[in-house]
Amino acid sequence: MEDLTPLATRRLPTKWLGRPLVLKAETGSTNDDARTAAQAGAASGLTIVADSQTSGRGRRGRSWHSPPGDSLYLSVVVRSSMRPDVAPLLTLAAGLAVRDAVAHFVAPERVTIKWPNDVRIDRKKVAGILVEGAIRGDALAYAVLGIGLNVRGASLPDELRERATTLRIARGADIARPEVLCALLVALESRIDAVVRAPAEIVGEVSRCCDTLGTEVQIDGVAGRAESLSPTGGIVIVTAAGERVEMRSGEIVEVA
Ligand code: BTN
């Protein structure tokens, strides 16, 4: 935790994201904290970073193991004029931002996105993204972007070693969490801004580094070849019968 503490008072090279930056030694889930803050009126950019989480959450109700010392667990409140149907682009934008940050430390061609929310190095998961939001009327009232990124761990439990990695393992050298966090916050701000300004750019860039495209997939009972990403961040699957089906991403879990 001590390594991260100076960041709370340091001037970050961002315009709105990470302002303020709240650091916690331990919390239940930074996504829950950010949602509570958003419901109480927190402005866009509030970022909560925890050294450990006792009830870290992944997608689809899975838990996110969050021990102290080695990883980054953070959530950002985003308020935007975007329509709820483009909210899945936030997940893709966060994935690109993680990729941007990670690519400062390992060769970019090793870093891919597994649609919709995993960032992988050499096809092993290094980060997961959980975007949750609330809709008011036909607008997105707020979104919470949660990111868990494995940074400094020197080893992983046997059951994870095949499919997960850490930045340190992939790089083959130790790595400072504040450096990674700073790079991530800067990249996140720029990628989130692009969701409103240039959504097609987000889709285009993810398409170029998405290791799901061109592979056979099964998503929520629909099987086929992942062909492309749709303009709103979904994935288009071509079934064996030649039918094109768009699957959507993103998790809007509550209605404000
Ligand atoms: C996944 O791959 O299933 C998504 C994992 C998201 C984990 C992060 S850690 C910070 C934030 N707080 C949470 O409880 N979850 C997200």
Side-chain angles (χ1 to χ4, degrees):
M1 179 68 184
E2 298 75 44
D3 61 331
L4 294 174
T5 313
L7 279 179
T9 49
R10 178 164 141 194
R11 220 181 131 67
L12 291 167
T14 53
K15 291 191 222 36
W16 57 270
L17 196 137
R19 292 163 183 256
L21 182 75
V22 178
L23 289 178
K24 298 186 171 197
E26 182 182 284
T27 191
S29 155
T30 55
N31 262 39
D32 291 347
D33 295 343
R35 186 185 57 210
T36 303
Q39 284 167 344
S44 201
L46 167 72
T47 302
I48 300 179
V49 181
D51 188 41
S52 66
Q53 299 181 118
T54 52
S55 330
R57 288 187 287 109
R59 276 166 49 100
R60 297 176 183 262
R62 287 188 284 262
S63 66
W64 187 260
H65 183 54
S66 310
D70 289 334
S71 298
L72 286 170
Y73 316 110
L74 65 142
S75 300
V76 180
V77 172
V78 176
R79 294 187 190 275
S80 154
S81 55
M82 72 184 65
R83 296 189 322 268
D85 65 323
V86 298
L89 291 178
L90 282 173
T91 303
L92 300 187
L96 278 179
V98 173
R99 182 173 185 270
D100 295 340
V102 165
H104 281 97
F105 306 97
V106 300
E109 56 275 13
R110 296 173 64 191
V111 192
T112 54
I113 292 178
K114 179 178 174 232
W115 184 92
N117 74 316
D118 291 355
V119 181
R120 308 206 291 184
I121 303 178
D122 305 334
R123 299 229 161 200
K124 293 182 174 186
K125 181 165 177 167
V126 71
I129 294 155
L130 178 66
V131 176
E132 299 174 317
I135 299 166
R136 189 173 297 125
D138 57 1
L140 190 69
Y142 65 82
V144 169
L145 266 66
I147 298 173
L149 172 59
N150 305 333
V151 181
R152 301 188 58 232
S155 64
L156 285 165
D158 285 350
E159 66 274 17
L160 286 181
R161 210 162 291 154
E162 282 298 302
R163 55 196 166 90
T165 191
T166 72
L167 206 37
R168 176 181 178 158
I169 293 172
R171 188 190 196 209
D174 199 4
I175 202 155
R177 280 195 301 180
E179 264 185 69
V180 180
L181 181 58
C182 263
L184 178 56
L185 296 179
V186 169
L188 257 183
E189 180 177 83
S190 147
R191 295 296 189 180
I192 293 168
D193 284 344
V195 170
V196 175
R197 192 179 30 82
E201 185 182 301
I202 298 289
V203 172
E205 287 214 37
V206 176
S207 300
R208 282 189 282 282
C209 65
C210 178
D211 58 33
T212 318
L213 295 180
T215 66
E216 295 296 322
V217 294
Q218 184 158 10
I219 301 171
D220 293 341
V222 178
R225 191 173 49 81
E227 183 189 57
S228 57
L229 300 182
S230 76
T232 51
I235 198 160
V236 179
I237 297 175
V238 183
T239 67
E243 192 190 355
R244 276 191 169 66
V245 184
E246 181 188 346
M247 306 301 289
R248 312 265 306 139
S249 70
E251 303 199 345
I252 305 293
V253 294
E254 60 175 60
V255 172

